[in-house]
Amino acid sequence: MPVCPGTAMPSLPPLARRPTLNAVIRRTLDRTPSGDDLDRLVAALGWHLVRLMAEVAAKDWEEHGQDKIVGVILDGVRAKLDSPPGPGAEVAARAVYAQELARTCQALLGLALAEPGDGAGVIA
């Protein structure tokens, strides 16, 4: 399940050492970001999401019958990344989008930390 076929992705640091990701998530969710900060946060969250998607996709979910649901999750993340608010969108709409990306990052980080077969009854 490649994220971007034919595209090499730099690897992320081990999951336990991702303070930047957690800081970006907190900064986005702790209070409503505004203005230019929104664009930086959206770009950072998008960068992290693409890398997390690659990590999640690289795992052997098929062995435990979880490949279809993980595929649906990754497709949803791709769709979210492909549907940002349009140019000139209100700050509120851009802030909501940033917060949605931050929550998606949290969920995908949880999936990246999981091993195929963990909670098989829940994920499958």
Side-chain angles (χ1 to χ4, degrees):
M1 250 191 291
V3 176
C4 301
T7 305
M9 299 293 292
S11 62
L12 286 169
L15 287 167
R17 292 181 288 172
R18 300 232 178 127
T20 304
L21 172 57
N22 290 322
V24 171
I25 290 171
R26 274 194 312 276
R27 196 161 154 210
T28 306
L29 295 177
D30 284 352
R31 60 180 216 208
T32 305
S34 61
D36 291 337
D37 199 30
L38 272 171
D39 297 328
R40 284 189 293 274
L41 290 170
V42 166
L45 289 163
W47 185 87
H48 285 293
L49 281 168
V50 168
R51 277 134 192 92
L52 285 169
M53 288 170 62
E55 281 190 35
V56 170
K59 294 184 179 191
D60 186 13
W61 299 102
E62 186 175 10
E63 180 182 347
H64 298 281
Q66 299 166 312
D67 54 319
K68 288 187 173 120
I69 189 67
V70 171
V72 168
I73 291 167
L74 292 176
D75 288 345
V77 175
R78 277 186 209 95
K80 185 167 294 300
L81 286 172
D82 290 342
S83 302
E90 296 290 329
V91 172
R94 291 173 34 230
V96 167
Y97 180 71
Q99 291 174 335
E100 287 174 355
L101 289 183
R103 287 185 194 93
T104 302
C105 242
Q106 284 178 320
L108 206 54
L109 181 58
L111 198 52
L113 289 167
E115 288 301 320
D118 288 353
V122 176
I123 296 176

